[in-house]
Amino acid sequence: MANDYERARLKMVDEQLVARGIKDPRVLSAMGRVPRHLFIEEALRDRAYGDHALPIGERQTISQPYMVALMTEALELKGSERVLEIGTGSGYQTAVLAELAARIYSIERIAGLADKARWVLASLGYRNVAVKIFDGTYGWKDQSPFDAILVTAGSPEVPPPLLEQLKEGGRMLIPVGDRTTQVLKKVTKTPAGVEQSSLTGCVFVPLIGGHGWVAENA
Ligand code: SAH
């Protein structure tokens, strides 16, 4: 069983990541190590290493492996960084970041998801991760500034508090667009000002909060 998951994981790295141009060896080996199936409910585990997002409850999703790799690679982590993540969800992306940087601060607005993610991360032995239940559009001021910020929900704009909490020289990856489709933006803070580039089109669940979208009750 464990071997089957490992085989599926290495196949995912080759066929979905390397084949599509992900090059950073640290990102590839982290995603070859993190047991993605343990962040997913048992009934869906057979599909854990497939080329797609999957439901994680509360109408939220764990991102497609390629999107996790693309965003992580673009953060250019070397190992010493303090990273802020908005949208802990299952905690899978958090674990990948924890393999690659010094300290991860992750914020999730849904308590049930945050609790589950904390439990899985702790059971896998990640000690460099803190998960907080909060509206991440305000960032985590006490722990700022951050070398890198990763937002894994779609936002109408770059939330100003997140830009403030990014170090000079720091990188932020954030999907910006409407409630259903977005463009993945890389925002870099330089001495000359803020630079933005667009990486790809993408589909994330909405970022809900003070500097995001209003919650829908349905
Ligand atoms: N990175 C996650 C993907 C989670 S989906 C994973 O690997 O599983 C996006 C998550 O963002 C959802 O769990 C959603 O509840 C959360 N979210 C949406 N708006 C938020 C906000 N303002 N602050 C924190 N989390 C938010």
Side-chain angles (χ1 to χ4, degrees), residues 60-61 87 89-90 93 107-110 113 135-136 152 205 208:
Q60 308 302 319
T61 54
S90 67
Q93 168 81 71
I107 308 180
E108 170 56 54
R109 64 181 281 275
I110 300 177
L113 293 177
D135 175 358
T152 63
V205 296
I208 308 287

Side-chain angles (χ1 to χ4, degrees), residues 163-183:
L163 203 51
E164 277 157 30
Q165 293 174 28
L166 186 63
K167 251 184 218 171
E168 203 172 282
R171 287 84 52 204
M172 179 181 351
L173 267 289
I174 177 169
V176 177
D178 62 31
R179 282 186 87 111
T180 52
T181 57
Q182 307 88 24
V183 172

Side-chain angles (χ1 to χ4, degrees), residues 37-218:
H37 60 284
L38 297 181
F39 292 86
I40 290 171
E41 66 175 280
E42 265 179 80
L44 297 177
R45 278 193 188 157
D46 286 355
R47 300 169 60 200
Y49 296 99
D51 189 15
H52 42 63
L54 284 170
I56 56 171
E58 309 273 1
R59 294 188 298 152
Q60 308 302 319
T61 54
I62 178 173
S63 305
Q64 177 196 25
Y66 174 68
M67 190 53 68
V68 172
L70 185 71
M71 293 177 98
T72 308
E73 183 172 67
L75 289 175
E76 301 170 43
L77 301 172
K78 302 284 181 270
S80 60
E81 296 84 358
R82 294 161 53 78
V83 181
L84 175 66
E85 178 191 34
I86 312 301
T88 316
S90 67
Y92 172 68
Q93 168 81 71
T94 321
V96 173
L97 294 172
E99 296 271 345
L100 296 171
R103 186 100 202 124
I104 316 303
Y105 298 88
S106 186
I107 308 180
E108 170 56 54
R109 64 181 281 275
I110 300 177
L113 293 177
D115 289 343
K116 240 193 260 176
R118 275 180 184 138
W119 187 88
V120 183
L121 289 163
S123 71
L124 289 171
Y126 291 104
R127 294 190 211 295
N128 58 339
V129 170
V131 176
K132 175 160 97 162
I133 301 163
F134 194 61
D135 175 358
T137 67
Y138 294 101
W140 194 324
K141 198 160 193 284
D142 296 355
Q143 297 294 346
S144 68
F146 299 97
D147 301 286
I149 300 181
L150 179 56
V151 182
T152 63
S155 184
E157 55 161 2
V158 177
L162 298 187
L163 203 51
E164 277 157 30
Q165 293 174 28
L166 186 63
K167 251 184 218 171
E168 203 172 282
R171 287 84 52 204
M172 179 181 351
L173 267 289
I174 177 169
V176 177
D178 62 31
R179 282 186 87 111
T180 52
T181 57
Q182 307 88 24
V183 172
L184 181 60
K185 302 264 185 198
K186 179 171 182 174
V187 181
T188 314
K189 218 176 188 179
T190 73
V194 174
E195 288 171 7
Q196 274 202 32
S197 60
S198 298
L199 271 59
T200 180
C202 54
V203 176
F204 281 82
V205 296
L207 183 74
I208 308 287
H211 293 280
W213 299 101
V214 175
E216 272 178 344
N217 294 321

Side-chain angles (χ1 to χ4, degrees), residues 10-27:
L10 296 175
K11 190 165 179 276
M12 167 196 89
V13 169
D14 277 349
E15 294 179 1
Q16 299 173 40
L17 311 186
V18 176
R20 291 194 189 124
I22 302 296
K23 290 194 174 64
D24 185 336
R26 296 182 71 242
V27 173

